[in-house]
Structures are given as C-alpha cells and as structure tokens.
Amino acid sequence: FRYSIRPHGRFDSAAAHRFGTERSQPLIVVPVEAGAPAMASLIRVAPSGVLVTALKPADDGPGPSGRRDWIVRLFGASGRPEKAVISWADSAPITVLRSSPDEERGEQILGPVDVPAWGMVTLRLTRDHEGQPAQ
C-alpha cells in the first residue's frame, strides 16, 4: 500500500480528485532528442472542476471529413453540474459531438458541454481546418 497525505484548507472536491489522479497515474517520462520541439497540450478545458480523464485518437481512424477525430472523456469532479468549454491550444475551431463510451458518433454540441456532478461525458472532437494536431 502507498499513501499520500496533503495538507489543505477548505475542502475542494476537484482539487482532491486531481491530486488522487496525479498520484495513481503519474506521468511517464521518456527521453527525447536534443533540440526536439516542445509540445503543448492539445486542448484546454474550463472550468477547473471538470477533469480530462482521457484524450486519444478515435479507434475508427479519420472522421467523415478525412481529419483525425479525438476522443475526450470529461469527469465532473467538483460535485456540482458544470458547463465545460473546450478549445484547441492553437485556437482552431472544432466540431464537438456527443459520443458513446464505444466512440459512436452522436449529436453535435454547440456551446458549452453539460457535465453532470460526479458524471462522465465522452466527446468526439474534430478540428475544422486543414491543420492536424501532432500525433
């Protein structure tokens, strides 16, 4: 067994979940070649009470547009319903579709994504321009 104890002030459910995830799923460090370009996060999600639990290429390959679709899973860690706003790091516009856990395409979502308290939402994202995120 391993334990991690963190002193804190007022309880913040999202911060507690983030801390637990950081301890149970640490980042994997791999060496890179000298001079390799730094990579930024592909997406940004706000507010901080919504955690990204998965970001991966869709299993079925490129979408109908021929562009790579990405699966994003969001968790409502704050303990209250949230309206999540998702954007690519380079501000490229995206198409957001609700998806099943099996990555089946659903209806398009325009505007913020409703994330229920303690709930999980699976989304399929497609960039709306020719540039592709780094693979």
Side-chain angles (χ1 to χ4, degrees):
F1 293 97
R2 293 185 319 180
Y3 295 91
S4 294
I5 298 174
R6 177 178 161 209
H8 59 84
R10 187 171 184 200
F11 180 71
D12 179 342
S13 179
H17 276 84
R18 195 173 299 109
F19 178 77
T21 301
E22 290 168 354
R23 297 306 172 274
S24 65
Q25 301 173 20
L27 294 176
I28 298 171
V29 179
V30 295
V32 296
E33 294 180 24
M39 290 185 62
S41 295
L42 290 178
I43 63 170
R44 298 176 203 272
V45 177
S48 62
V50 176
L51 305 181
V52 176
T53 62
L55 171 64
K56 67 181 207 69
D59 288 339
D60 59 0
S65 66
R67 296 182 183 100
R68 166 70 68 192
D69 284 357
W70 292 84
I71 300 299
V72 177
R73 290 197 175 91
L74 304 177
F75 173 61
S78 68
R80 62 183 178 277
E82 300 274 12
K83 293 199 175 287
V85 177
I86 303 169
S87 60
W88 286 106
D90 64 2
S91 300
I94 58 173
T95 299
V96 179
L97 302 177
R98 188 167 303 280
S99 178
S100 73
D102 293 328
E103 301 183 11
E104 297 162 332
R105 288 175 179 82
E107 76 275 1
Q108 184 173 0
I109 298 173
L110 301 171
V113 178
D114 291 321
V115 180
W118 310 118
M120 187 78 70
V121 176
T122 302
L123 304 171
R124 181 180 280 262
L125 308 181
T126 304
R127 291 174 73 132
D128 289 340
H129 71 69
E130 294 302 319
Q132 291 288 322
Q135 301 273 334

